[in-house]
């Protein structure tokens, strides 16, 4: 019974924001003439800082943040996974140091500070948001991949492959990479949740540009009228929280199921 309740909670938390993110832009918007900004007499859920319907913004603002988080996570793994795998598999100490030390320098910077630094030297666009989010996650992914692959890359079977003259990259991709896939999959779930938070924070700081329209931007833009029209802040913030909590619970469930004998 408890497991069924947990499943229902996870499905509910994820179904609402994902359905709005994927299908919301397909729903016809109210459009028409705009009313007064933060008009308390406007139909529910009220108007935003521009006088447009909050419901229109909610329907149109989910796809960007979800697709950006997924794209940034995929890009970060596409770059960080091979680097961490190569650092763990190499027999040359200097190459390991050369690959990993720049990531240590990046990790010394707080993520939000790194977001602001990268955003200040790049134009504020959706692609900038993807690249910034991927860049922030890249050092952690490379280090986690290296740490997970170190043991697998120095097992007796791998040493035997080296003695037989197998190509190093074939050893790394066929044997080592396959053995660390469960660890990488577990990290990917947590990383996706973190990417959602980071995309929301970066959008809040205007990294996506002034024309961006997503739930995080709505929270930032409408917070000045929260006492006049609170739904412009409450609805997008609740959807972001539901998406993040739902993803956390989902990956916790999947990992616990995999670890259960």
């Amino acid at each position: 019974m408890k497991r069924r309740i947990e499943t229902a909670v996870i499905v509910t938390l994820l179904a609402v924001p994902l359905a709005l993110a994927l299908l919301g832009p397909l729903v016809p918007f109210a459009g028409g003439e705009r009313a007064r900004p933060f008009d308390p007499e406007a139909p529910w859920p009220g108007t935003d800082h521009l006088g447009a319907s909050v419901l229109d913004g909610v329907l149109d603002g989910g796809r960007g943040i979800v697709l950006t988080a997924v794209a940034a996570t995929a890009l970060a793994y596409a770059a960080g996974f091979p680097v961490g795998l190569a650092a763990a598999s190499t027999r040359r100490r200097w190459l390991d140091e050369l690959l990993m030390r720049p990531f240590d320098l990046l990790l010394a910077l707080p993520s939000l500070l790194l977001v602001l630094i990268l955003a200040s030297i790049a134009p504020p666009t959706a692609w900038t948001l993807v690249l910034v989010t991927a860049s922030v996650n890249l050092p952690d992914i490379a280090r986690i991949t290296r740490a997970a692959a170190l043991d697998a890359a120095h097992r007796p079977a791998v040493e035997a492959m080296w003695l037989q003259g197998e190509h190093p990259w074939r050893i790394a991709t066929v044997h080592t990479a396959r053995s660390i896939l469960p660890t990488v999959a577990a990290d990917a779930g947590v990383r996706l949740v973190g990417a959602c938070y980071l995309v929301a924070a970066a959008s809040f700081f205007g990294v996506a540009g002034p024309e961006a329209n997503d739930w995080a931007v709505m929270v930032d833009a409408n917070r000045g009228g929260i006492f006049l029209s609170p739904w412009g802040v409450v609805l997008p913030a609740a959807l972001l929280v539901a998406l993040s909590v739902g993803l956390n619970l989902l990956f916790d469930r999947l990992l616990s199921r995999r670890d259960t004998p």
Side-chain angles (χ1 to χ4, degrees):
M1 183 65 180
K2 180 181 178 181
R3 200 165 187 84
R4 291 181 179 178
I5 294 176
E6 291 178 351
T7 301
V9 171
I10 294 174
V11 170
T12 303
L13 287 174
L14 287 178
V16 174
L18 288 180
L20 287 174
L22 298 177
L23 302 178
L26 303 178
V27 178
F29 297 157
E33 296 182 359
R34 295 186 176 183
R36 292 180 301 167
F38 307 124
D39 188 358
E41 300 180 357
W44 188 90
T47 59
D48 61 12
H49 66 295
L50 298 175
S53 172
V54 171
L55 183 59
D56 289 355
V58 169
L59 291 173
D60 192 41
R63 178 176 292 183
I65 199 167
V66 171
L67 293 182
T68 300
V70 172
T73 303
L75 180 61
Y77 269 98
F81 183 81
V83 173
L85 191 62
S89 302
T90 185
R91 293 301 193 267
R92 297 176 176 85
R93 178 70 177 176
W94 64 268
L95 181 57
D96 184 11
E97 295 288 335
L98 180 65
L99 291 173
M100 299 308 299
R101 291 294 79 82
F103 292 136
D104 293 340
L105 295 177
L106 291 177
L107 286 172
L109 294 174
S111 59
L112 285 180
L113 177 60
L114 187 58
V115 166
L116 295 177
I117 292 174
L118 294 175
S120 65
I121 60 178
T125 63
W127 284 110
T128 298
L129 187 56
V130 171
L131 292 175
V132 166
T133 306
S135 300
V136 171
N137 283 301
L138 179 58
D140 284 328
I141 291 174
R143 287 177 60 86
I144 288 174
T145 302
R146 177 184 178 275
L150 273 176
D151 179 63
H154 295 85
R155 291 174 181 171
V158 176
E159 298 296 339
M161 292 179 188
W162 278 93
L163 294 175
Q164 291 174 0
E166 284 280 357
H167 194 279
W169 193 243
R170 177 176 173 80
I171 296 174
T173 55
V174 174
H175 179 80
T176 307
R178 184 179 300 175
S179 64
I180 66 172
L181 283 180
T183 302
V184 173
D187 177 69
V190 179
R191 199 69 53 194
L192 181 58
V193 175
C196 288
Y197 278 119
L198 193 58
V199 168
S203 297
F204 187 86
F205 286 116
V207 177
E211 297 181 359
N213 180 31
D214 62 45
W215 293 335
V217 173
M218 287 183 65
V219 174
D220 178 35
N222 296 322
R223 58 193 172 97
I226 188 171
F227 294 108
L228 296 175
S229 182
W231 292 111
V233 175
V234 173
L235 280 181
L239 290 169
L240 288 171
V241 171
L243 178 63
S244 300
V245 174
L247 286 173
N248 268 321
L249 293 177
L250 175 63
F251 282 104
D252 285 345
R253 168 68 66 85
L254 295 176
L255 293 177
S256 64
R257 180 176 296 177
R258 184 178 63 83
D259 294 336
T260 300

